[in-house]
Amino acid sequence: MAKQNVAEQFVDILARAGVQRLYGVVGDSLNPVVDAIRRTKGIEWVQVRHEETAAFAAGAEAQVTGRMAACAGSCGPGNLHLINGLYDAHRSMAPVLALAAQIPSSEIGLNYFQETHPDQLFRECSHYSEMISNPQQMPRLLQTAIQHAVGQGGVSVVTLPGDIAAQTAPERAVEHALVTARPTVRPGDAEIDSLAELIDGAKRVTLFCGSGTAGAHTEVMQLAERVKSPVGHALRGKEWIQYDNPYDVGMSGLLGYGAAYEATNECDLLILLGTDFPYNAFLPDDVKIVQVDVRPEHLGRRSKLDLAVWGDVRETLRCLIPKVREKKDRKFLDRMLKKHADALEGVIKAYTRKVDKHVPIHPEYVASVLDELAADDAVFTVDTGMCNVWAARYLTPNGKRRVIGSFSHGSMANALPQAIGAQFVDRDRQVVSMSGDGGFSMLMGDFLTLVQHDLPVKVVLFNNSSLGMVDLEMLVAGLPSFGTGYQNTDFAAIARAAGAYGVRVEKPKHLAGALKEAFSHKGPALVDIVTDPNALSIPPKISADMVTGFALSASKIVLDGGVGRMVQMARSNLRNVPRP
């Protein structure tokens, strides 16, 4: 049997760790690895147009499956393009292994053509970043990198010079069992008892949930019922906690709606569950706060804590609930549910006023129709900017849908690349990219990747010929809009020229039909919807300085915005409120 080279051993270990594909752009320093993939069953090479797309796709695949995914870049400029997508994956706690190919090992440090030092460059966006400089380091270094990515949740980077990749691997290399899943973390009894004591001593308790509540929906609802607590959420917590939730009071933060802000600021005990919510201006500074998080470095970095609890949300609540006394008083919960319903009723009026006849099409109408027509188990990938607002307010979670975006890193151009990774996982599952024209055009080359691999991603393009969120930022600051406009591009024509299905929609009456046709199309499709650039959204709570900014920019039209089917859920929840 012929001896393996380092590249072949590298690929074998990735396949053994459950990696099914490697996203990237091939180049000379990567050739040994790509050739090894060509000859290895169970793992494929996915050619993309830009390495940033490769990293975003790998991050999305990891978020959909919960398994480690992988991407690669050739030496120098090639692997440098990975960095934005790797930052996003790392901040999303998505386990991703990145291979950064390197120049010949004998030339490192001599200012060789395309020389960079990726083992140093990627350290800020990874748990582990090291270079294989000798075949004897394989497979231990790669195994260590895998265990960092999986065990800590995030990125590991392995730098591999092309000449080392082609060398013979050690004949008796040390291999050991690989870590492929993270364990649960249970707090100590003392922390559980302290948390139970705080809850028992509080009259008004609010739960505020983030992505760390994934898999803990039942436990959160049980605790909310036991202590009569309103339940708010951050954007990344929406898909996990809002569905089947009779205690829902909406979302707080810059994209928020409903009574979440009031619930978090009017309680006397706020419990943060699995959230690293970054906007501390929306958090109270005069109530007791408890934070539960699986990553101890997150505890207390947004607000002063009265108790820090290190543990998985689900496991923590399982231990906690039996120790908490059931509360009988629903006054605070019922008052927040009423406020929430009233808030949604108020903003819905702005949305329903002849919006189905408004030209240019109101983007909220698009989001509402999309929510109605999309599959019950659809995966939505959402561009940063105003698409985040429409997704937050209109996509209805149900426990089967997924919503993925650059919610922690905040990068433009994430939706299309993430849709690629999500669709490769399951070609039969509906994947919808909610793209803005700014984000889509930034990495538009990878629409060709959809065509090349016949990926049936549906791109729903909100085309307002502007950077809408930046317009809003300028508006709030009292500045005139400048440098945010784009030419009016017919993206549907570009899609058709690329060999995909493309349709342009300019009138509301054509919207539903266009979406239905695109969704029924077997391959990739793009629906280019011309939307109103003046349809912006404001936060649920704004400061005096913000109001001044709006006053100075009075020529703009700013709408509070609707909330789609969430108002129906709020009305339904009010049935639980006793009538006087």
Side-chain angles (χ1 to χ4, degrees):
M1 181 177 177
K3 293 181 178 180
Q4 281 187 319
N5 63 25
V6 170
E8 291 167 335
Q9 192 177 65
F10 190 100
V11 171
D12 278 351
I13 293 171
L14 286 185
R16 194 158 60 88
V19 173
Q20 297 180 4
R21 57 194 63 84
L22 206 65
Y23 301 90
V25 178
V26 70
D28 56 354
S29 54
L30 265 179
N31 287 346
V33 174
V34 176
D35 186 63
I37 292 173
R38 179 182 64 83
R39 292 179 285 106
T40 302
K41 292 183 179 179
I43 187 169
E44 63 177 319
W45 175 258
V46 177
Q47 179 187 2
V48 296
R49 291 328 198 257
H50 196 294
E51 290 89 351
E52 184 176 346
T53 295
F56 270 123
E61 179 182 324
Q63 290 179 70
V64 170
T65 65
R67 301 190 306 267
M68 189 181 74
C71 58
S74 59
C75 65
N79 62 60
L80 286 181
H81 286 156
L82 295 171
I83 196 163
N84 196 43
L86 293 184
Y87 260 104
D88 182 80
H90 196 55
R91 289 177 169 172
S92 301
M93 294 181 65
V96 170
L97 189 287
L99 169 59
Q102 177 60 300
I103 63 172
S105 58
S106 61
E107 302 300 328
I108 295 174
L110 300 174
N111 198 26
Y112 190 74
F113 176 64
Q114 294 189 323
E115 180 175 5
T116 59
H117 295 88
D119 52 314
Q120 300 175 37
L121 287 165
F122 290 105
R123 282 181 181 165
E124 188 175 320
C125 63
S126 66
H127 292 301
Y128 184 86
S129 182
E130 295 291 346
M131 182 172 70
I132 297 174
S133 56
N134 187 301
Q136 298 297 325
Q137 292 174 276
M138 279 287 289
R140 290 176 300 158
L141 192 146
L142 177 57
Q143 291 167 337
T144 300
I146 290 170
Q147 289 169 185
H148 274 79
V150 174
Q152 296 187 42
V155 171
S156 283
V157 180
V158 175
T159 299
L160 180 61
D163 60 317
I164 300 294
Q167 291 181 22
T168 302
E171 187 173 356
R172 294 181 177 270
V174 177
E175 292 193 14
H176 53 80
L178 293 167
V179 171
T180 56
R182 299 178 66 196
T184 58
V185 178
R186 180 199 185 281
D189 289 336
E191 286 76 18
I192 295 292
D193 290 341
S194 296
L195 179 50
E197 184 178 344
L198 280 171
I199 293 173
D200 288 345
K203 290 184 178 181
R204 303 180 303 277
V205 180
T206 292
L207 307 181
F208 187 72
C209 303
S211 60
T213 57
H217 184 275
T218 298
E219 289 75 14
V220 173
M221 296 303 108
Q222 289 174 347
L223 180 60
E225 168 58 28
R226 198 166 185 84
V227 301
K228 308 301 182 283
S229 167
V231 178
H233 60 267
L235 178 54
R236 290 188 66 200
K238 176 184 172 73
E239 62 177 323
W240 306 115
I241 216 67
Q242 191 186 37
Y243 69 95
D244 295 338
N245 181 356
Y247 317 100
D248 177 58
V249 291
M251 189 173 84
S252 191
L254 293 172
L255 311 184
Y257 53 82
Y261 178 86
E262 288 84 354
T264 55
N265 281 266
E266 295 180 23
C267 61
D268 51 25
L269 177 62
L270 174 62
I271 303 178
L272 306 174
L273 295 175
T275 179
D276 193 35
F277 182 71
Y279 304 109
N280 53 16
F282 289 86
L283 295 175
D285 54 14
D286 57 352
V287 304
K288 290 183 178 180
I289 300 179
V290 174
Q291 185 177 2
V292 180
D293 205 290
V294 72
R295 291 179 65 161
E297 67 270 22
H298 288 181
L299 296 170
R301 70 178 181 179
R302 307 300 184 197
S303 58
K304 182 180 177 181
L305 299 181
D306 292 271
L307 180 64
V309 180
W310 179 12
D312 295 311
V313 171
R314 185 180 184 187
E315 195 67 23
T316 299
L317 297 189
R318 280 180 172 179
C319 298
L320 172 69
I321 291 169
K323 296 190 175 188
V324 174
R325 291 198 304 268
E326 184 171 2
K327 296 185 186 296
K328 303 298 183 183
D329 187 351
R330 287 182 54 103
K331 290 180 183 177
F332 178 61
L333 170 60
D334 292 342
R335 182 162 61 87
M336 289 300 110
L337 290 176
K338 181 68 164 58
K339 256 187 186 182
H340 180 59
D342 289 345
L344 299 195
E345 291 279 4
V347 298
I348 201 73
K349 293 174 184 176
Y351 163 69
T352 56
R353 197 180 304 143
K354 297 183 179 179
V355 72
D356 59 340
K357 296 180 173 60
H358 185 79
V359 178
I361 303 171
H362 202 291
E364 291 181 308
Y365 179 67
V366 178
S368 178
V369 175
L370 172 61
D371 181 56
E372 293 283 350
L373 297 180
D376 284 345
D377 66 343
V379 178
F380 297 92
T381 60
V382 183
D383 259 343
T384 296
M386 296 310 297
C387 283
N388 269 198
V389 181
W390 315 138
R393 294 185 174 184
Y394 283 89
L395 295 185
T396 305
N398 57 12
K400 295 182 290 185
R401 286 178 166 181
R402 293 298 314 273
V403 182
I404 296 172
S406 187
F407 300 139
S408 295
H409 185 48
S411 172
M412 283 182 64
N414 60 288
L416 174 63
Q418 288 177 328
I420 290 171
Q423 192 72 83
F424 261 111
V425 172
D426 185 351
R427 287 177 175 267
D428 294 327
R429 188 175 185 181
Q430 187 181 80
V431 176
V432 179
S433 172
M434 289 180 65
S435 298
D437 55 316
F440 180 78
S441 60
M442 186 177 283
L443 284 176
M444 187 167 57
D446 269 294
F447 188 79
L448 300 176
T449 299
L450 299 183
V451 178
Q452 179 171 339
H453 296 283
D454 195 27
L455 292 174
V457 169
K458 312 308 177 191
V459 178
V460 178
L461 186 62
F462 291 70
N463 185 358
N464 63 1
S465 299
S466 74
L467 295 173
M469 185 61 79
V470 183
D471 272 337
L472 178 59
E473 292 164 355
M474 291 181 170
L475 184 65
V476 169
L479 301 173
S481 177
F482 182 76
T484 60
Y486 290 123
Q487 68 182 36
N488 192 330
T489 300
D490 187 342
F491 291 100
I494 294 174
R496 291 192 297 271
Y501 178 92
V503 61
R504 186 173 173 89
V505 181
E506 297 181 349
K507 294 182 179 180
K509 64 181 180 180
H510 298 146
L511 176 62
L515 288 174
K516 288 177 183 178
E517 288 182 16
F519 288 165
S520 64
H521 181 70
K522 299 293 185 182
L526 183 145
V527 183
D528 179 10
I529 306 164
V530 180
T531 59
D532 188 352
N534 291 322
L536 303 178
S537 175
I538 61 175
K541 291 292 177 181
I542 57 176
S543 67
D545 290 341
M546 286 182 172
V547 173
T548 301
F550 283 116
L552 291 174
S553 303
S555 61
K556 288 286 187 179
I557 301 172
V558 183
L559 300 179
D560 286 314
V563 287
R565 286 187 279 177
M566 284 182 290
V567 73
Q568 299 170 15
M569 185 171 68
R571 290 169 181 156
S572 176
N573 288 344
L574 278 181
R575 296 172 191 161
N576 298 320
V577 178
R579 301 301 179 188

